[in-house]
Amino acid sequence: MEDQTIPWLSVLASLAILIAYELRLVLSSRKGDASTARSAHLSLRAQWVRALANQPGAEIIGIQALRNSLMSATINASTAALVLMGSVSLIASRGGWEQAFSVRVLLEGALLFTLFATYLCAALSMRFYHHAGFAVSLPVGSSAREQQSELAVHYVQRGGVLYSWSLHFFLNSAPIVVGLLNPIAMPLATLCMLLVLSLFDRAPKHLLDSTK
């Protein structure tokens, strides 16, 4: 039987690298509103909703912006669902998971989980954007708008965070696919993916300078 020690170590190393990156991102986000793109975007969405609440006649602008966000989340969810169904069909055509537990079985399960998590986060993002649309479309200056303003902020922020998670989950499927082809190459694929992802997770330089 082929020795599976190196493939298992490669998978564990990839998982450790991914966890370390996400922990660093979470800790960095807690340092300030502009420390990472994720926290900067969170603050931006709150400012956007509150600004619309003080601008009469801007209701249609808010709805159009939320519609664009809703469409983006819909595309992400639809893509993940299609890839998920294709992956399940491919695994089932090979006999499913009747074989003994192995690195390949683990990676196939991880791929299905990642794709389902992508779909779930995107679908929940759509849900929050959908409900936020009702609050943002309330007439500016009305008592109902004032009562629901912070609810709209919360829903738009939650929708944005869930959309960000869905993108992260979807991108995490890349090193898993590489691992299915060659488990030994999985750590390198994970590092390359996180290197590219870090460029987008970093807050804009002028925001970082303004917080110093």
Side-chain angles (χ1 to χ4, degrees):
M1 180 180 295
E2 184 181 355
D3 186 15
Q4 293 292 307
T5 302
I6 294 180
W8 276 110
L9 290 176
S10 298
V11 172
L12 293 176
S14 301
L15 181 61
I17 293 171
L18 184 60
I19 292 176
Y21 176 83
E22 290 296 334
L23 285 177
R24 185 192 66 83
L25 193 62
V26 170
L27 293 176
S28 297
S29 299
R30 294 179 178 178
K31 292 181 179 179
D33 287 341
S35 58
T36 64
R38 183 179 297 178
S39 56
H41 295 163
L42 201 67
S43 176
L44 171 63
R45 293 186 185 98
Q47 293 177 20
W48 175 76
V49 175
R50 294 188 178 110
L52 287 179
N54 296 318
Q55 184 64 42
E59 294 86 353
I60 187 64
I61 297 177
I63 293 300
Q64 289 176 341
L66 287 176
R67 181 190 62 184
N68 294 338
S69 299
L70 187 61
M71 290 176 62
S72 297
T74 301
I75 293 173
N76 207 23
S78 301
T79 303
L82 289 173
V83 178
L84 177 61
M85 290 187 291
S87 300
V88 171
S89 299
L90 183 60
I91 293 174
S93 67
R94 295 178 51 255
W97 290 336
E98 297 178 356
Q99 66 269 35
F101 186 71
S102 62
V103 172
R104 184 173 187 85
V105 172
L106 174 65
L107 291 178
E108 288 176 347
L111 179 61
L112 296 182
F113 170 79
T114 302
L115 292 173
F116 179 74
T118 301
Y119 169 79
L120 182 62
C121 289
L124 290 175
S125 175
M126 293 161 54
R127 174 179 178 268
F128 281 108
Y129 284 141
H130 172 74
H131 290 301
F134 291 102
V136 171
S137 63
L138 291 171
V140 173
S142 65
S143 60
R145 181 62 178 265
E146 294 177 359
Q147 293 174 4
Q148 303 301 329
S149 180
E150 289 306 308
L151 179 65
V153 170
H154 176 71
Y155 277 1
V156 172
Q157 286 183 322
R158 288 288 297 275
V161 169
L162 286 166
Y163 180 73
S164 175
W165 287 356
S166 73
L167 289 178
H168 272 238
F169 275 120
F170 193 72
L171 291 174
N172 286 339
S173 64
I176 297 177
V177 172
V178 173
L180 287 170
L181 298 175
N182 186 353
I184 298 177
M186 191 173 174
L188 178 60
T190 303
L191 285 173
C192 291
M193 180 201 69
L194 294 181
L195 179 62
V196 175
L197 195 58
S198 65
L199 300 177
F200 297 94
D201 286 332
R202 187 183 308 161
K205 187 177 185 300
H206 71 277
L207 291 180
L208 291 174
D209 293 339
S210 64
T211 59
K212 292 180 180 180

